[in-house]
Amino acid sequence: DLAFDVRGDVAAADLREAVAAHAGPELERLVLFDVFSGPPLEEGRKSMAFRLTFRHPERTLTDEELEPVRRSISDHVTITLDGRLRGG
């Protein structure tokens, strides 16, 4: 799961697209499961959380393999949508 702190005007579809664009070929499923605004977030910002499911057709993916993917997603969201990965 990845949760992002973004401006209040960022559409869920735009954030979803940004995440999917850098998730790589093993991304099987991407689901928005939470949207939150209010304290402790800054005024004018909201949190959106996505559940990502990755699957390789022949083996189990490791945390070490997925860490660069998480970093790539986070960097892309920061650059394109002024978003920050929460708790990361």
Side-chain angles (χ1 to χ4, degrees):
D1 296 351
L2 297 177
F4 294 94
D5 172 342
V6 295
R7 293 184 325 269
D9 64 346
V10 172
D14 293 338
L15 181 54
R16 185 183 193 287
E17 183 178 311
V19 171
H22 284 261
E26 281 90 17
L27 180 66
E28 179 179 75
R29 188 168 180 228
L30 176 59
V31 177
L32 175 67
F33 71 89
D34 186 52
V35 178
F36 172 80
S37 61
L41 299 173
E42 295 174 20
E43 187 173 330
R45 298 193 66 89
K46 64 184 172 185
S47 172
M48 288 191 273
F50 290 86
R51 178 155 295 127
L52 293 83
T53 304
F54 294 91
R55 188 175 315 274
H56 189 282
E58 299 173 3
R59 61 182 175 77
T60 301
L61 295 166
T62 66
D63 289 341
E64 291 79 22
E65 290 174 296
L66 293 175
E67 177 57 27
V69 174
R70 184 197 65 81
R71 196 169 34 254
S72 177
I73 291 168
S74 177
D75 290 349
H76 181 66
V77 169
T78 297
I79 291 166
T80 60
L81 298 174
D82 185 32
R84 299 181 288 257
L85 184 62
R86 295 190 68 204

